[in-house]
Amino acid sequence: MSGDEGSSGWQLTESDPGVFTELLKTLGVDLIVDDLYSLDSDALASFQPIHALIFLFKWVANSDERGGGSGQFDTAFPGFFAHQVVNNACATLAVLNALMNIPSLTMGPELSDLKAFTTGMDPQSCGLTITSSDFLRQSHNALSPPSAISLDGLDIPKTSEDAYHFIVYTPVAGSLYELDGLKQYPVKHGSYSEAGEGWVAKAREAIEARIATYPPGAIEFNLMAIHDDALPKLQAELKASQDAGRDLQADQLLVRITEENDKRAKWALESSLRRHNYLGFIHALTLALAKAGKLQPATEKARTVMKERIAKAKKDGKSMEED
Amino acid sequence: MSEPILAFKAGKATRREGTNTVEPSATKGAIILQNEDGLLHFKWKNRESGEVEEDLILFPQDASFTKVSQVTGGRIYVLKFNSSNQRHFDASAARDEEFASQINVLLEDPDRVLVWGESNVASTSAQVIQPTEASSSSAVGTIPPGPASAEQIAHLSEILRNMTAQQTQNRPTVSLRDVLTRENVAPLFTTHPELIPALFPHLPPDLPIPPSPEALQRVVNSPQFQEAVRSFDQALHTGLLGGLVRSLGLPEDAGTGVEPFLRAVQNQAEREGSGSSSSSTNQPHERDQDHMETD
């Protein structure tokens, strides 16, 4: 999937919340993406208000590709929907299908222009517009390691790193919709009640129903929520609690704020590590080992490891590919 | 690829039947190295008739290219095959035994990858050489002596080395991932702390934690770094990173495989010593300072 003609200059990205949140920041959107480990009320409550849910999955090797959602195609969908034209762009495409349907969302100028430009466009043209946007492609590619030591253009057979399928669940004009860039139209799941959990309750039903259609173990999946940044609110609440002397509540808020800050620090570290070109570092580290007289013994050991690996691969009947 | 990877002017020489005499023929020709369908072809083209009169396939361990030492007043090389008739070539403008011996070694043992000193490689490049046919406009003319052909012989070595690297692509002997493991790197921090600061400039510039041995450990242990090593390792196996490793100040052949890269770095370490002259390490007298800073 990642090796076919569908790359067009879009690199394959990781699909973790830190990466997505960074993309949102580049697009000028002040929302956060987090992993959801469960769809139950408590899990969702901590992230409310949630603007969109992303269900991402990939087929486990040799799985039978059965299963999927139900619902009805809406050929008169009033919102934004783009087809996935380039496989490697799937993550950004899903994010756009979500963001562009969030009412009154503050966004950067490039995204605003894109939204205006694509108003009224059919899904295919929308998808083409997105994939030919230099700004979007660059923002997307900035999420993956630099290509100085990547293998694009060297004709290396890529390891089987399949792209995830992304499906966005989001409310539009009073109904819950399922936006899948690989399907022809958005899928309408019907109206929901604003009371209580609101639209996410309906989304829970739809997602659980979908999960149930896959044979057990056939897919690996993940759920993410696009939601407001909780920090400003938490910090305001903390101040209020402290001022009012509500110590217990203040302590609980402090814990949550600390967790949130730790998470951001982890994301910042990962982002910095991810975007770095390690060529110089690899050379310097190898040189340090050599100067310490440790390179040759390490290399000898490594040769033995390789011999054993090759012997084992031969025994197992595999051809010698990079793992 | 059907573009010739190397070509240079050379005549043919034949052993006179029943004698030990090898006579160079006056016929102007050229040796052309060409990759066809994954096989390395060694061709001799008659430049007067335009015909390719010899088309031999070179397999490692089957062929060798050696100078016939008894010849004076010129240089005769013989392309020997274990299996069939020998072929003699007059590459009298060729420079050196060194190159021929390098080629020989490679042809005998494709697993032995040679490391060239920087001076050897200085004059070479990994560029494709156009056949000399293109540049010679007249049929008359002698084989020019001098640097041009020496360079081309060097290219022959380079090509054969790359061929070797490509041959071993399917059976790599070592992976950088198995060399730059946490287990191998971690002891550095305690046994050679003076080598650590040289790594700081290579950390991500926007790393949210300040440069320190701890920061280095975190980087080395990170999945991002491991992935970068994997990626670089795989790229080295293609043998095509000559240009890239030059940006590190390494000789071009360091980009032809993992073994050459490691050897080049080992050579660099030996040249730079433990602090006598290089920019990469700290001077011995700064040792105490470093210890104080990292406490």
Side-chain angles (χ1 to χ4, degrees):
Chain A
M1 285 186 64
S2 59
D4 63 15
E5 81 268 293
S7 67
S8 304
W10 290 73
Q11 290 165 25
L12 200 59
T13 57
E14 286 175 49
S15 306
D16 76 52
V19 172
F20 278 99
T21 304
E22 190 173 323
L23 178 63
L24 259 54
K25 224 186 325 200
T26 312
L27 298 176
V29 171
D30 188 19
L31 297 177
I32 306 290
V33 182
D34 269 305
D35 274 331
L36 278 176
Y37 297 106
S38 127
L39 277 172
D40 66 32
S41 318
D42 294 335
L44 293 178
S46 57
F47 293 116
Q48 290 280 29
I50 298 176
H51 299 290
L53 292 172
I54 304 183
F55 176 77
L56 48 148
F57 72 99
K58 64 179 173 184
W59 296 98
V60 168
N62 302 324
S63 291
D64 197 0
E65 292 203 14
R66 283 180 286 129
S70 54
Q72 306 189 311
F73 280 146
D74 185 349
T75 57
F77 178 63
F80 176 98
F81 175 61
H83 279 163
Q84 183 176 309
V85 169
V86 169
N87 282 346
N88 284 4
C90 49
T92 295
L93 184 95
V95 164
L96 289 170
N97 273 337
L99 295 181
M100 300 293 215
N101 287 308
I102 300 173
S104 315
L105 179 69
T106 312
M107 50 177 78
E110 299 88 353
L111 212 56
S112 303
D113 287 347
L114 195 72
K115 185 166 183 180
F117 186 72
T118 54
T119 306
M121 259 189 197
D122 64 276
Q124 186 68 9
S125 304
C126 239
L128 288 168
T129 305
I130 286 173
T131 35
S132 44
S133 159
D134 285 340
F135 169 73
L136 285 181
R137 195 187 68 249
Q138 284 158 13
S139 305
H140 171 101
N141 288 345
L143 304 170
S144 48
S147 56
I149 44 176
S150 87
L151 309 170
D152 294 339
L154 288 182
D155 281 334
I156 313 273
K158 296 218 162 106
T159 58
S160 58
E161 210 186 273
D162 292 318
Y164 276 97
H165 298 242
F166 288 80
I167 301 177
V168 172
Y169 290 86
T170 198
V172 180
S175 284
L176 173 70
Y177 279 90
E178 179 188 309
L179 306 176
D180 178 351
L182 292 176
K183 295 248 165 80
Q184 208 179 359
Y185 300 105
V187 173
K188 187 173 187 177
H189 287 280
S191 59
Y192 56 88
S193 162
E194 288 286 3
E197 290 182 294
W199 72 272
V200 295
K202 187 133 192 115
R204 177 195 295 124
E205 281 172 28
I207 292 172
E208 286 176 352
R210 169 179 277 275
I211 291 173
T213 65
Y214 301 111
I219 62 168
E220 283 173 18
F221 68 89
N222 199 16
L223 271 173
M224 297 198 283
I226 302 182
H227 62 95
D228 285 347
D229 184 349
L231 262 182
K233 201 168 71 165
L234 287 172
Q235 278 156 349
E237 285 175 18
L238 175 65
K239 182 158 191 320
S241 303
Q242 287 168 333
D243 292 345
R246 294 195 291 269
D247 293 337
L248 184 60
Q249 192 180 32
D251 285 345
Q252 287 169 343
L253 285 166
L254 207 51
V255 166
R256 286 181 65 191
I257 290 174
T258 308
E259 279 172 0
E260 193 62 31
N261 283 330
D262 286 349
K263 185 180 72 188
R264 310 287 169 100
K266 177 161 103 63
W267 284 352
L269 177 65
E270 286 170 0
S271 172
S272 160
L273 291 175
R274 190 171 50 237
R275 286 177 291 112
H276 187 57
N277 182 332
Y278 288 94
L279 188 63
F281 189 80
I282 290 172
H283 175 217
L285 189 60
T286 311
L287 187 64
L289 278 176
K291 287 183 174 172
K294 295 181 192 293
L295 184 60
Q296 278 166 333
T299 307
E300 263 313 305
K301 261 198 309 183
R303 284 194 194 108
T304 308
V305 168
M306 182 59 87
K307 281 206 183 89
E308 290 167 2
R309 194 180 287 140
I310 293 177
K312 181 173 188 303
K314 280 201 176 117
K315 210 162 70 99
D316 295 348
K318 290 190 266 234
S319 66
M320 188 57 202
E321 282 170 358
E322 293 295 330
D323 54 348
Chain B
M1 282 194 297
S2 56
E3 281 275 84
I5 39 183
L6 180 69
F8 57 90
K9 293 176 188 166
K12 255 211 292 192
T14 26
R15 193 209 289 260
R16 198 185 300 169
E17 194 84 13
T19 72
N20 277 340
T21 314
V22 174
E23 278 176 354
S25 143
T27 312
K28 295 170 185 26
I31 288 174
I32 300 170
L33 236 62
Q34 202 160 16
N35 238 330
E36 274 169 24
D37 301 327
L39 294 173
L40 187 63
H41 287 245
F42 185 110
K43 300 180 182 178
W44 186 81
K45 181 169 177 172
N46 183 327
R47 284 189 291 127
E48 291 167 4
S49 68
E51 296 246 320
V52 172
E53 293 183 10
E54 303 271 17
D55 185 355
L56 310 160
I57 294 180
L58 296 186
F59 293 108
Q61 300 183 339
D62 185 46
S64 66
F65 191 71
T66 21
K67 182 161 184 251
V68 179
S69 50
Q70 298 89 331
V71 171
T72 53
R75 291 184 181 89
I76 302 278
Y77 288 79
V78 58
L79 180 68
K80 271 194 218 175
F81 293 89
N82 293 339
S83 40
S84 63
N85 289 340
Q86 296 172 3
R87 299 285 190 281
H88 295 87
F89 293 93
D90 173 16
S92 30
R95 189 177 81 183
D96 236 340
E97 286 82 6
E98 182 192 359
F99 293 122
S101 73
Q102 304 277 41
I103 299 167
N104 239 8
V105 171
L106 287 162
L107 286 170
E108 277 170 2
D109 183 1
D111 286 335
R112 260 184 71 187
V113 187
L114 305 165
V115 175
W116 289 50
E118 275 179 338
S119 56
N120 282 341
V121 201
S123 61
T124 68
S125 73
Q127 296 304 311
V128 168
I129 298 273
Q130 296 308 308
T132 52
E133 266 57 33
S135 54
S136 68
S137 49
S138 70
V140 181
T142 53
I143 300 170
S149 292
E151 202 171 320
Q152 287 161 333
I153 290 280
H155 279 108
L156 174 60
S157 311
E158 179 81 17
I159 296 312
L160 289 170
R161 197 181 306 109
N162 283 343
M163 174 187 84
T164 303
Q166 302 226 357
Q167 299 263 346
T168 58
Q169 188 185 336
N170 296 325
R171 37 189 179 93
T173 56
V174 69
S175 165
L176 206 56
R177 293 159 73 192
D178 296 324
V179 175
L180 297 178
T181 61
R182 294 181 207 191
E183 297 73 31
N184 287 339
V185 171
L188 267 183
F189 293 93
T190 45
T191 63
H192 291 77
E194 75 282 3
L195 295 177
I196 299 304
L199 299 174
F200 292 161
H202 300 283
L203 288 171
D206 60 350
L207 197 65
I209 52 186
S212 69
E214 292 69 39
L216 281 170
Q217 296 259 37
R218 281 185 83 172
V219 172
V220 171
N221 296 344
S222 72
Q224 290 82 3
F225 173 71
Q226 296 297 328
E227 175 56 33
V229 176
R230 192 193 73 84
S231 190
F232 185 54
D233 181 68
Q234 213 177 344
L236 274 174
H237 280 138
T238 67
L240 299 171
L241 294 192
L244 190 67
V245 299
R246 281 177 73 180
S247 71
L248 299 171
L250 292 174
E252 212 163 305
D253 62 288
T256 58
V258 178
E259 296 271 11
F261 175 75
L262 293 172
R263 276 182 236 245
V265 176
Q266 181 66 38
N267 289 345
Q268 181 186 3
E270 285 163 12
R271 267 199 322 275
E272 292 178 3
S274 54
S276 45
S277 59
S278 85
S279 52
S280 303
T281 56
N282 296 312
Q283 299 301 319
H285 69 266
E286 283 175 27
R287 229 175 247 241
D288 290 330
Q289 280 181 336
D290 286 339
H291 275 295
M292 287 189 332
E293 279 166 11
T294 55
D295 275 343

